[in-house]
Amino acid sequence: MTKSATLQHRIPSLPAWLAILVIAFIAALSYASSGHAAGQLATYLEKVEPSELFDGADRFGELSGDPPIAPVMRGDELLGYAYLNSDFSSSIGYSGKPIHIVVGIDPKGVIRGFKLVDHKEPIVLIGIPEEKVVASMNALIDKDMGRVASGAERPPQVDIVSGATVTVLVMGDSVSRAAVQLIRSNRLGVDLATGVAAATETRKLDLSKTETSDWQTLLGDGSVRSLRMTVGEVSEAFRQAGQTIAADKPETKTPGDRFIDLYLAPVSVPTIGRTLLGDAAYDRLASRLKPGQTALLVAGDGAYSFKGSGYVRGGIFDRIELLQNGQGVRFRDRDHTRLPALAADGAPRLREIALFVVPAEFAFDVTQPFELQMLVQRNAQGRDKSILPYNLSYILPDKYVTIEQIPAAAQSPTPAVPAAPATGTGSDQLTDQQIADGQPLWMRMWDMNRINIGITIAALLVLTAIFFFQDWLVKRPVLFAWVRRGYLLFTLVWLGWYANAQLSVVNVLTFVNSLITGFNWEFFLSAPLIFILWAAVAAGLLFWGRGPFCGWLCPFGALQELTNNLAQWLKVPQVRLPWGLHERLWPIKYMIFLGLFGLSLYSLALAEMFSEVEPFKTAIVLKFAREWPFVIFALTMLSAGLFIERFYCRYLCPLGAALAIPGRIRMFEWLKRYPECGSPCQRCAKECPVQSIHPEGQINVNECIYCMHCQELYHDDHRCPHMIQVRLKREKFMALSTPATRGDIPPKVAVTHNGAPIGKADGASEQPA
């Protein structure tokens, strides 16, 4: 059997691969068409026991209304009602999918219980138990939402879980907003009159006033409101709240330093908008806004960012929330536009200036009082965070509104029910990125990471030079060893532990899923280092296959190789698996990848959970700060690598398998071989660190990590049998061509080749000249 036939026998045929993918895709289509997770209360009540919502409840009554609610009964006694949060309000979480929670609320508007019944949040990816996230919602239990709906109290705040901030905030907000909307619909019979002051006038925005002003005037008359704090003031607030660990971790060492100067203004008001944005930018904004829709400008300067970085991956600004009439909304990245500067005369230069369009589904009246709540976060013990809320109140000055008196008979104590959620896709909002000559979100992220981007690009250029000048380097083994170990150390420490630029099979699954559900470049561009590395990997696949990433740019791979080098230096015995067993362990990683790929077509969130087969997040991103099962798994993989170099890379890594498949399209063969390689010489095959060279002599590029050890041997005339022969011939030629020198008596030269004597060199003389 030929070598090619042998390889084809080892690897599944192309039709088999296509069949697997087609079956997985059909399963995904049938799953999507089945209407799973349709968001209907009747579907999810099957997963809830009545006693989980109300103590002693034993059954649910008949569903009624639209959106539906279900009576919760104890015998013939009505204890309250069950509702589904996603039926009443938006509950889109970090995953971009709804979070479904069945909630029990009594006839007085008090929340008595809830159960998380379905979600697609990748909570397990960061090692946070679902029970901990659900427990953070306990602040809602026994909360009188009738007072919130009447405006007498603010919405309750759930406990923040570090690492799952977006998920927790979305859960708490959606449950609260749904309860308020249900109460205001009068379906529970809650009396709201006690909590609402009787209105005797109506306020309407006066759009006829379009004159411009300046920064100091807007600040002085209340058109722009501000919140200013020092680092010391925030530290003292944490200390008074009993959070001493957070109080001792200030943003700067000097208490008098500016923590934040936060500014708030509604720029959809013509005078304010034209002054702060400029006429041209305001006109573009006004043309985009729907009738009655509001846009707010939020700006800040100081040591603390009101934006944070959570919105980059989660799409939600988790540090700020807009509050009005007991309702709240958090802005998403599609609502946001970055502004480079303020156009108002005398305006300061601020580090962060953001334009937020209030979502159409949030019933917001700019003429009524509202608040912007900012959550101040500081690291506490371990990975936990301490949170303090600060509220910046805003009341639009009377000069921007017209006030009309209304008769008492026309007054209604019940606030208006919020508008139904918008059904649009948000595509119009995405084009708002060009408003006010600002930059899109992804450009903002690239601006913020210019230094890291420069270092990464420089490192990639160095690696390219290493590959292009590999022959020169491998001829100098000592120098090359230092270069390789130095580069691996850079990959591990800077690229991995510092920059967290560890690629993952999750990136591959997300990319494929986006091609199916709707591709958006901005999503991938929002993580600059990850995007640059993937672009480099894609280019490297054409030239060298998967080797550049697996062998040089993978932080976990670098950690494995460096720890194995240390083990060898400490004389830890190395295990070399028999070739037959070794080649049968290869397919495991391909099976893992195909399993994750097929699962991602069914449920991306589920595939992300099972992608914990990668220890990358534990060892690199979280630096082993996780629950003990994840740490034990990562340490087990590293321990196996002490005895079998790159054990995880060889047999289990789904990302390596994902890269090996397109890596077969490479256009060049950079690794050189001699005809003798494999038959009879086996030296390279025996010394390959990952056993990617077949006994027959060919290099399996699917398994090669491009460490270039075989290229060192290729040029070594003291270890490679072919090069040893070349050296002997060269020495023979040098001996034959060297002329006799005066006073020297040339000896008889006996040159051998393969053990056979050749004789004296021609022209050799017995006597001196």
Side-chain angles (χ1 to χ4, degrees):
M1 183 180 292
T2 63
K3 295 179 182 179
S4 60
T6 303
L7 290 178
Q8 290 177 357
H9 180 71
R10 296 187 182 110
I11 302 175
S13 64
L14 182 60
W17 284 69
L18 292 177
I20 294 173
L21 297 182
V22 169
I23 292 172
F25 185 70
I26 292 175
L29 291 179
S30 62
Y31 167 77
S33 63
S34 66
H36 180 76
Q40 297 178 354
L41 177 61
T43 303
Y44 294 111
L45 278 183
E46 299 174 357
K47 302 181 180 180
V48 183
E49 294 294 331
S51 58
E52 294 178 297
L53 304 183
F54 290 88
D55 290 338
D58 53 22
R59 67 185 179 90
F60 293 111
E62 295 294 328
L63 273 66
S64 63
D66 185 22
I69 59 175
V72 185
M73 313 294 293
R74 180 169 56 201
D76 295 332
E77 179 187 359
L78 175 65
L79 299 180
Y81 298 89
Y83 70 87
L84 186 66
N85 66 322
S86 55
D87 282 348
F88 289 85
S89 66
S90 173
S91 60
I92 305 299
Y94 183 95
S95 63
K97 306 289 174 53
I99 302 173
H100 301 289
I101 304 173
V102 175
V103 185
I105 187 169
D106 69 16
K108 295 182 179 180
V110 178
I111 293 178
R112 296 304 185 184
F114 63 87
K115 182 176 181 179
L116 177 62
V117 290
D118 185 69
H119 70 89
K120 300 297 185 292
E121 298 295 277
I123 297 173
V124 181
L125 282 178
I126 48 178
I128 299 175
E130 183 176 295
E131 293 78 9
K132 184 176 182 180
V133 175
V134 173
S136 70
M137 300 271 292
N138 288 337
L140 300 177
I141 301 297
D142 297 330
K143 184 67 178 180
D144 187 352
M145 299 306 296
R147 293 183 57 79
V148 177
S150 68
E153 291 185 6
R154 293 173 178 168
Q157 295 294 321
V158 297
D159 297 330
I160 300 300
V161 177
S162 179
T165 304
V166 171
T167 299
V168 170
L169 291 176
V170 168
M171 290 168 60
D173 290 349
S174 65
V175 169
S176 296
R177 288 198 302 270
V180 168
Q181 186 171 340
L182 177 60
I183 292 171
R184 288 180 176 177
S185 68
N186 290 325
R187 298 173 65 184
L188 300 182
V190 178
D191 183 13
L192 299 179
T194 57
V196 180
T200 60
E201 60 185 28
T202 178
R203 294 162 59 89
K204 294 183 179 181
L205 183 64
D206 186 357
L207 298 176
S208 63
K209 298 179 180 180
T210 59
E211 68 278 2
T212 59
S213 183
D214 58 66
W215 174 258
Q216 289 301 330
T217 300
L218 295 181
L219 201 60
D221 64 13
S223 299
V224 176
R225 298 295 175 95
S226 64
L227 173 66
R228 303 182 181 186
M229 299 180 291
T230 65
V231 173
E233 290 172 342
V234 175
S235 298
E236 182 60 27
F238 273 109
R239 190 168 286 106
Q240 291 180 1
Q243 303 178 27
T244 56
I245 296 178
D248 295 333
K249 295 182 178 181
E251 288 70 21
T252 65
K253 296 181 179 179
T254 305
D257 286 349
R258 176 172 49 191
F259 178 80
I260 193 171
D261 288 350
L262 185 67
Y263 299 95
L264 173 66
V267 288
S268 52
V269 177
T271 296
I272 301 175
R274 291 187 182 278
T275 301
L276 295 178
L277 304 180
D279 289 334
Y282 173 79
D283 290 338
R284 286 195 293 271
L285 171 63
S287 66
R288 300 280 185 182
L289 295 178
K290 300 175 181 178
Q293 196 171 20
T294 301
L296 301 176
L297 182 141
V298 182
D301 200 10
Y304 190 74
S305 167
F306 68 85
K307 291 184 178 181
S309 58
Y311 74 98
V312 176
R313 293 187 180 275
I316 296 179
F317 291 83
D318 57 8
R319 292 188 177 184
I320 55 175
E321 181 180 14
L322 180 63
L323 304 174
Q324 188 179 60
N325 292 332
Q327 291 276 56
V329 65
R330 281 188 165 80
F331 299 108
R332 301 187 70 89
D333 52 5
R334 61 173 176 262
D335 308 318
H336 165 259
T337 302
R338 172 189 176 271
L339 301 180
L342 297 175
D345 292 337
R349 294 186 61 86
L350 302 174
R351 183 166 66 96
E352 293 180 325
I353 307 175
L355 178 64
F356 293 107
V357 176
V358 179
E361 63 266 24
F362 182 68
F364 181 79
D365 186 353
V366 71
T367 66
Q368 299 299 319
F370 62 92
E371 295 178 319
L372 183 73
Q373 184 178 82
M374 179 181 67
L375 298 181
V376 174
Q377 304 177 1
R378 275 187 180 176
N379 293 328
Q381 190 171 7
R383 295 178 56 244
D384 294 334
K385 289 184 179 181
S386 296
I387 308 292
L388 279 183
Y390 285 86
N391 286 62
L392 174 56
S393 301
Y394 191 96
I395 300 177
L396 188 67
D398 289 342
K399 67 179 183 178
Y400 299 120
V401 300
T402 58
I403 302 176
E404 298 178 2
Q405 299 295 325
I406 58 175
Q411 299 173 18
S412 173
T414 304
V417 178
T423 57
T425 61
S427 58
D428 291 339
Q429 292 172 318
L430 290 176
T431 59
D432 285 348
Q433 299 292 338
Q434 305 304 324
I435 295 175
D437 296 324
Q439 289 179 309
L441 171 65
W442 68 269
M443 295 183 67
R444 168 64 169 165
M445 297 310 304
W446 285 65
D447 286 341
M448 293 172 58
N449 291 275
R450 282 179 292 180
I451 295 178
N452 289 349
I453 290 171
I455 294 175
T456 303
I457 292 177
L460 292 174
L461 292 176
V462 170
L463 183 58
T464 303
I466 290 174
F467 286 168
F468 272 90
F469 298 99
Q470 65 181 42
D471 288 345
W472 184 88
L473 271 173
V474 296
K475 291 178 181 178
R476 297 159 175 81
V478 176
L479 173 63
F480 179 70
W482 281 104
V483 169
R484 176 160 176 78
R485 289 171 185 166
Y487 201 96
L488 292 177
L489 193 62
F490 163 82
T491 296
L492 173 62
V493 176
W494 190 88
L495 203 59
W497 285 337
Y498 175 78
N500 287 341
Q502 169 73 65
L503 303 187
S504 166
V505 72
V506 175
N507 303 135
V508 179
L509 303 180
T510 303
F511 180 79
V512 175
N513 185 264
S514 69
L515 293 177
I516 299 173
T517 60
F519 187 79
N520 187 355
W521 275 112
E522 284 78 4
F523 176 79
F524 297 96
L525 287 168
S526 63
L529 299 189
I530 299 296
F531 181 85
I532 291 173
L533 285 176
W534 272 115
V537 169
L541 289 175
L542 296 176
F543 286 84
W544 303 284
R546 73 166 187 146
F549 171 74
C550 295
W552 296 80
L553 293 173
C554 177
F556 188 76
L559 178 60
Q560 288 183 95
E561 184 164 332
L562 291 173
T563 52
N564 180 266
N565 289 345
L566 180 61
Q568 292 187 43
W569 182 72
L570 294 174
K571 308 301 182 182
V572 174
Q574 298 299 295
V575 178
R576 188 172 185 85
L577 298 182
W579 178 259
L581 175 61
H582 172 65
E583 69 172 347
R584 283 164 177 77
L585 294 177
W586 270 348
I588 294 178
K589 59 177 174 287
Y590 295 96
M591 289 187 286
I592 294 174
F593 169 69
L594 288 177
L596 291 175
F597 181 78
L599 194 58
S600 71
L601 297 178
Y602 173 79
S603 170
L604 180 60
L606 195 59
E608 289 174 342
M609 293 171 60
F610 280 97
S611 69
E612 282 293 346
V613 70
E614 290 181 329
F616 304 162
K617 288 172 280 297
T618 300
I620 303 300
V621 178
L622 299 178
K623 306 174 187 65
F624 296 100
R626 295 190 75 179
E627 285 73 14
W628 63 267
F630 298 98
V631 175
I632 288 178
F633 175 69
L635 292 177
T636 300
M637 295 298 99
L638 290 173
S639 299
L642 298 178
F643 303 93
I644 302 175
E645 186 168 348
R646 286 183 177 254
F647 172 84
Y648 180 80
C649 293
R650 294 198 208 184
Y651 308 122
L652 298 177
C653 181
L655 179 58
L659 295 179
I661 296 172
R664 296 187 65 84
I665 67 174
R666 75 193 189 287
M667 301 172 62
F668 306 98
E669 291 289 349
W670 294 71
L671 300 178
K672 301 175 182 178
R673 310 294 285 156
Y674 293 118
E676 300 94 326
C677 292
S679 178
C681 181
Q682 294 284 316
R683 181 148 196 169
C684 288
K686 292 180 179 180
E687 293 192 18
C688 178
V690 293
Q691 291 181 263
S692 65
I693 302 178
H694 286 263
E696 296 90 345
Q698 73 274 17
I699 298 174
N700 187 341
V701 293
N702 290 342
E703 308 299 325
C704 176
I705 63 170
Y706 220 90
C707 66
M708 297 190 224
H709 180 72
C710 61
Q711 299 306 287
E712 284 189 51
L713 295 176
Y714 181 90
H715 293 283
D716 194 327
D717 58 8
H718 286 79
R719 291 188 293 169
C720 174
H722 177 88
M723 289 302 298
I724 291 174
Q725 295 298 322
V726 172
R727 176 175 57 83
L728 291 175
K729 292 179 181 179
R730 183 175 62 249
E731 291 175 351
K732 168 192 171 183
F733 177 78
M734 293 295 296
L736 292 174
S737 60
T738 302
T741 56
R742 184 178 300 273
D744 294 333
I745 302 176
K748 296 181 179 179
V749 181
V751 181
T752 63
H753 179 66
N754 291 334
I758 296 177
K760 292 191 300 182
D762 294 338
S765 174
E766 299 291 343
Q767 300 296 329

